[in-house]
Amino acid sequence: TLSRYKFPTTSLLDDYQSQWYEVSKEELEKNNQKIVNTLKDYKISITKISARIGPTVTLYEVVPAPGVRVSQIKRLEEDIALSLAAKGVRVVTLVGTNAIGIEVANDKPSVVSMKSVLEDPKFRNSKYDLPVAIGRTISNEVFSFDLAKMPHLLVAGATGQGKSVGLNAIITSLLYKKHPAELKLVLVDPKMVEFAPYKPLLRHYLAAMPETDPNQVVITDCDKVVNTLNSLVIEMENRYKLLM
């Protein structure tokens, strides 16, 4: 049956393309000039300025004139924010370039759809063992990593900061790239509602104890977690013995 398994299509996911915030050329040029004028007011000259638009932040790359120190521009974060009437501004050094980055928060953050991330060639052509895509960078490129290279991963944050979205993005990425014969998941959900939608994957991606009730394949009882983890340790040791 697994030999006939077909990967899910991205048509199952929403696009959210209509919620993408576009920064007009006029707005970019106006902001460029405001940044140049603000720096000029403090006798800081630059040789070049360009912009890269991201989903939540626009990065203005500024090449300072010879002799200008990064600290001189960094001290002007609040002044630049005031001149642009921006929600937030951050000055960073761009490693590997002779430019300084000025990150300006967009007026309206764009919704980055999981569909657009999974369809991106960078993710589709990934050769990672456990490829995961969790969004887009400030330069609007898909950010992906190999989960196999970070087996101990802590996802933390305050309420409403996107922990559940991040975990679902990790699981969804794996479901779209790994065959059920290559991947098995043990899901522990003390909140009882986070991972409930994954219950139908029992016969494909979910690993469970033989006597587990199909309705409880996502572990919500913390007392049952110990037995499951112990069984995983036994499986791990058996594999090490096989490798030996």
Side-chain angles (χ1 to χ4, degrees):
T1 56
L2 284 180
S3 62
R4 297 197 298 271
Y5 178 82
K6 294 182 179 180
F7 283 94
T9 64
T10 54
S11 61
L12 298 171
L13 304 173
D14 292 328
D15 201 353
Y16 296 103
Q17 194 63 43
S18 60
Q19 299 184 39
W20 188 268
Y21 176 66
E22 295 287 349
V23 181
S24 64
K25 287 185 178 180
E26 292 78 11
E27 186 177 350
L28 288 176
E29 290 174 3
K30 190 185 297 183
N31 287 345
N32 283 350
Q33 195 57 50
K34 285 180 179 178
I35 292 173
V36 172
N37 292 339
T38 302
L39 296 177
K40 190 180 294 183
D41 290 340
Y42 291 89
K43 296 182 172 56
I44 298 175
S45 57
I46 62 175
T47 59
K48 182 182 178 183
I49 183 170
S50 58
R52 285 194 286 176
I53 305 170
T56 58
V57 174
T58 298
L59 175 65
Y60 295 88
E61 296 184 14
V62 175
V63 180
V68 175
R69 297 191 300 273
V70 176
S71 58
Q72 291 177 267
I73 300 178
K74 196 166 183 62
R75 285 198 297 266
L76 300 178
E77 280 185 355
E78 294 182 0
D79 298 278
I80 295 172
L82 186 63
S83 68
L84 297 176
K87 296 177 182 177
V89 167
R90 186 174 70 147
V91 177
V92 296
T93 53
L94 302 177
V95 180
T97 70
N98 62 342
I100 296 171
I102 299 177
E103 299 175 353
V104 180
N106 295 338
D107 290 338
K108 299 176 182 177
S110 300
V111 175
V112 178
S113 68
M114 198 68 201
K115 180 178 181 179
S116 69
V117 171
L118 296 180
E119 289 179 342
D120 192 278
K122 184 176 180 181
F123 176 76
R124 285 167 51 193
N125 301 329
S126 170
K127 302 300 182 184
Y128 293 148
D129 291 329
L130 294 174
V132 171
I134 57 171
R136 293 184 178 274
T137 65
I138 193 171
S139 57
N140 207 20
E141 296 179 353
V142 168
F143 180 75
S144 61
F145 60 88
D146 189 356
L147 189 62
K149 299 295 184 183
M150 47 172 68
H152 304 290
L153 175 64
L154 174 66
V155 179
T159 301
Q161 293 299 303
K163 299 184 297 297
S164 297
V165 174
L167 291 172
N168 282 296
I170 291 173
I171 295 173
T172 303
S173 299
L174 296 173
L175 296 180
Y176 271 84
K177 284 289 286 185
K178 306 305 292 184
H179 190 276
E182 301 174 291
L183 175 71
K184 287 292 181 285
L185 299 170
V186 174
L187 300 180
V188 180
D189 184 9
K191 288 177 68 176
M192 303 185 186
V193 293
E194 296 286 352
F195 295 146
Y198 299 108
K199 288 181 180 179
L201 299 179
L202 172 60
R203 296 184 178 276
H204 297 84
Y205 286 101
L206 298 187
M209 301 288 282
E211 68 277 6
T212 301
D213 184 334
N215 293 321
Q216 298 177 352
V217 66
V218 175
I219 304 171
T220 56
D221 185 351
C222 292
D223 292 334
K224 296 181 179 179
V225 175
V226 176
N227 291 334
T228 304
L229 292 180
N230 285 336
S231 69
L232 289 176
V233 172
I234 293 172
E235 175 64 23
M236 178 183 68
E237 290 176 345
N238 288 337
R239 293 186 181 189
Y240 277 136
K241 291 175 182 176
L242 181 63
L243 287 172
M244 182 179 64

